[in-house]
């Protein structure tokens, strides 16, 4: 049975200010919970809550095998109590609260991670939780462990983002930059941005050249793809830091299959576009 205090604390984590104050966040669903529990270096399971009906499933999937000192952390709750803690219209059968372990990497070590990676992703003003969650999942699918976000992007620990990642957030290192353009420049690696005005990704020649006066650190071989929001695209500050722009060509209807009006879509969803570009550039 969950106490009123626990229900209140879990419910508060739906709000960013409480997540920021505590460095805690909520994960729902046993499969996603398992992924975070496995990454003990980055996350600590504070509370693990299931309904009685789900308890056997959690044990069967080995979720508890990954939790140290599970006794005081694991509780069985009623569906009514679970519904008071969830952010979903229909509550899941399992919910966990995780504590983020703050990384002890220096700023230069974080930058070196980007330089050592074949391809990384940066996002400029992507505020939609569903899009951000899907982009994190894309990074995980393509083995991209580094994701850099502008400070006005959606909080990656927003429950909607966490759900959309399907556990991938447990494996992707997400960093926020106060000034994305400056941080991108400090990486000293080629930067390519997605833009309708860019050259076709199918004609892109890699590696890109750095700008005159720029030098790459010894051994640096990374490339960073920068995606902007669907409504605004890349900011001027970010675009000025880039070494090239890339686009995905559209293929309008041909012949008599054209409907009245425009014969092509206005744009692609940012996550859909990122998937196409990453697949071509990897």
């Amino acid at each position: 049975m969950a106490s009123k205090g626990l229900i209140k604390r879990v419910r508060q984590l739906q709000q960013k200010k409480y997540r920021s104050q505590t460095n805690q966040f909520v994960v729902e669903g046993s499969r996603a919970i398992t992924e975070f529990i496995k990454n003990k270096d980055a996350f600590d399971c504070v509370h693990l809550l299931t309904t009685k009906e789900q308890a056997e499933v959690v044990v069967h999937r080995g979720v508890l095998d990954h939790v140290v000192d599970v006794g005081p952390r694991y509780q069985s709750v009623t569906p009514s109590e679970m519904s008071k803690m969830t952010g979903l219209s229909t509550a899941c059968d399992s919910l966990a609260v995780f504590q983020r372990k703050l990384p002890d990497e220096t700023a230069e070590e974080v930058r070196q991670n980007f330089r050592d990676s074949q391809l990384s992703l940066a996002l400029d003003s992507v505020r939609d939780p569903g899009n951000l969650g899907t982009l994190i999942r894309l990074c995980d699918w393509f083995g991209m462990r580094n994701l850099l976000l502008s400070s006005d992007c959606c909080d990656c620990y927003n429950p909607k983002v966490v759900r959309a990642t399907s556990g991938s957030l447990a494996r992707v290192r997400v960093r926020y930059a106060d000034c994305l353009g400056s941080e991108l420049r400090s990486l000293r690696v080629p930067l390519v941005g997605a833009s309708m005005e860019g050259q076709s990704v199918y004609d892109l020649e890699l590696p890109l050249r750095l700008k005159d006066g720029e030098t790459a650190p010894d051994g640096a071989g990374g490339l960073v793809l920068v995606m902007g929001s669907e409504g605004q695209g890349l900011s001027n500050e970010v675009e000025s830091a880039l070494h090239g722009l890339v686009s995905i060509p559209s293929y309008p209807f041909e012949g008599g299959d054209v409907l009245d009006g425009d014969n092509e879509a206005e744009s692609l969803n940012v996550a859909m576009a990122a998937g196409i570009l990453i697949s071509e550039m990897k």
Side-chain angles (χ1 to χ4, degrees), residues 121-136:
L121 184 65
L123 304 178
D124 184 16
S125 303
V126 174
R127 300 184 178 92
D128 181 80
N131 280 340
L132 179 55
T134 303
L135 287 158
I136 292 172

Side-chain angles (χ1 to χ4, degrees), residues 190-195 197-199 204 208-209 211 223-226 234 238-239 241-247:
L191 310 167
V192 60
S195 170
E197 286 72 47
Q199 71 175 116
L204 182 66
L208 297 178
R209 290 187 176 185
K211 296 178 181 179
L223 172 68
V224 177
L225 171 65
V226 188
L234 297 168
V238 167
E239 190 166 334
L242 303 177
H243 302 97
L245 295 173
V246 66
S247 66

